Amino acid sequence: YNILVAIDGGHEDRILVSHDICKRNRLEKYGGHGYGHILKIVQHQTKTAGISDEQWSKFGSNNPHKWLECQIK
């Protein structure tokens, strides 16, 4: 996982996790991963690799919030 490499490199406070849906076939309705892919699949896979709930809170909430504050200023 690239996330683990970033954590090991001391970048935990700078990690943002996201994905996009650019075509209809990426929606669950049409057989794709859908909007919940990160929370349903990726989060579970990385938890089994040792990423904690606290770290996921940083990646999904705290770090994006800090990034948006910097962009607004």
Side-chain angles (χ1 to χ4, degrees), residues 19-37 40:
H19 78 107
D20 65 17
I21 301 290
C22 61
K23 295 182 180 180
R24 182 174 63 178
N25 67 341
R26 303 298 291 163
L27 295 170
E28 285 183 350
K29 179 178 179 179
Y30 299 101
H33 288 87
Y35 288 107
H37 175 66
K40 291 178 185 176

Side-chain angles (χ1 to χ4, degrees), residues 33-47:
H33 288 87
Y35 288 107
H37 175 66
I38 298 292
L39 296 176
K40 291 178 185 176
I41 307 296
V42 176
Q43 184 178 13
H44 174 72
Q45 290 174 342
T46 54
K47 279 185 177 184

Side-chain angles (χ1 to χ4, degrees), residues 12-73:
E12 184 174 310
D13 291 334
R14 301 180 70 184
I15 297 171
L16 306 174
V17 179
S18 68
H19 78 107
D20 65 17
I21 301 290
C22 61
K23 295 182 180 180
R24 182 174 63 178
N25 67 341
R26 303 298 291 163
L27 295 170
E28 285 183 350
K29 179 178 179 179
Y30 299 101
H33 288 87
Y35 288 107
H37 175 66
I38 298 292
L39 296 176
K40 291 178 185 176
I41 307 296
V42 176
Q43 184 178 13
H44 174 72
Q45 290 174 342
T46 54
K47 279 185 177 184
T48 60
I51 293 178
S52 70
D53 288 334
E54 182 180 310
Q55 288 170 310
W56 268 103
S57 181
K58 279 185 179 181
F59 308 154
S61 181
N62 299 355
N63 293 351
H65 180 69
K66 287 189 297 188
W67 181 80
L68 287 169
E69 282 182 340
C70 289
Q71 301 304 309
I72 293 171
K73 291 181 181 178

